Amino acid sequence: MNNEGHDYFMQRCIELAKIAKSNGESPVGAIIVKDGVIIGEGIEAGKAHLDISFHAEIEALRSASQFLQTQDLSGCVLYTTHEPCIMCAYMIRHTKISEIIAAIITGEYGGFSSGYPLLSDTSIQKWGTPPKLVFGILESECRDL
């Protein structure tokens, strides 16, 4: 997919991130796309639920799994305003997401850029091939959140 297609879906992530921010949460929004159609969405909501597992990416994965009635999300693309954290990375690998499109690299707690790069790990055979990673899509717009 070209950057225009990525920009379109990242705009939806930005809309979701703005909702999270207006709720007093970190401005993170995520969606799952299969065959060009959004099948799952999530916003950061850990403070509201008093539960750290309510990250935008995990909520989008839960939503997509319910939509497809399976935890196997092979062939799906995750779009997110921020690089998925280590916790989210585990769930992404478990559900076999094929590609991740993110705006901002997060560093020490990132699922790719930290010292625990689960998103690119090949040592866990059950996870199969790591997802393709694309960073920097609408990065400045996401940083402005």
Side-chain angles (χ1 to χ4, degrees):
M1 181 179 295
N2 62 26
N3 273 5
E4 285 182 20
H6 290 322
D7 289 357
Y8 172 80
F9 290 118
M10 190 61 73
Q11 285 292 344
R12 179 61 185 151
C13 292
I14 291 170
E15 291 170 11
L16 294 168
K18 288 178 180 178
I19 294 168
K21 184 177 180 177
S22 73
N23 291 341
E25 305 282 350
S26 297
V28 183
I31 63 171
I32 307 293
V33 175
K34 183 167 179 72
D35 300 326
V37 176
I38 297 172
I39 61 166
E41 295 187 335
I43 65 169
E44 204 78 3
K47 292 176 187 173
H49 292 280
L50 300 176
D51 182 342
I52 194 171
S53 72
F54 278 84
H55 280 201
E57 296 87 352
I58 290 175
E59 288 304 292
L61 291 165
R62 286 175 176 150
S63 176
S65 291
Q66 287 297 310
F67 180 84
L68 294 177
Q69 290 296 290
T70 182
Q71 289 183 3
D72 183 352
L73 301 180
S74 301
C76 293
V77 180
L78 167 69
Y79 285 84
T80 181
T81 55
H82 293 70
E83 172 188 358
C85 73
I86 297 163
M87 175 179 66
C88 294
Y90 179 90
M91 193 162 169
I92 289 164
R93 294 302 304 274
H94 181 80
T95 58
K96 302 187 183 321
I97 288 289
S98 299
E99 186 173 4
I100 299 168
I101 311 297
I104 300 170
I105 293 176
T106 54
E108 72 178 337
Y109 54 89
F112 173 75
S113 63
S114 74
Y116 306 98
L118 295 181
L119 292 175
S120 60
D121 185 88
T122 57
S123 66
I124 300 174
Q125 297 299 314
K126 182 178 179 179
W127 285 351
T129 305
K132 177 182 174 188
L133 303 169
V134 177
F135 293 104
I137 302 297
L138 298 185
E139 181 177 0
S140 61
E141 291 87 336
C142 291
R143 286 196 186 281
D144 289 344
L145 293 170

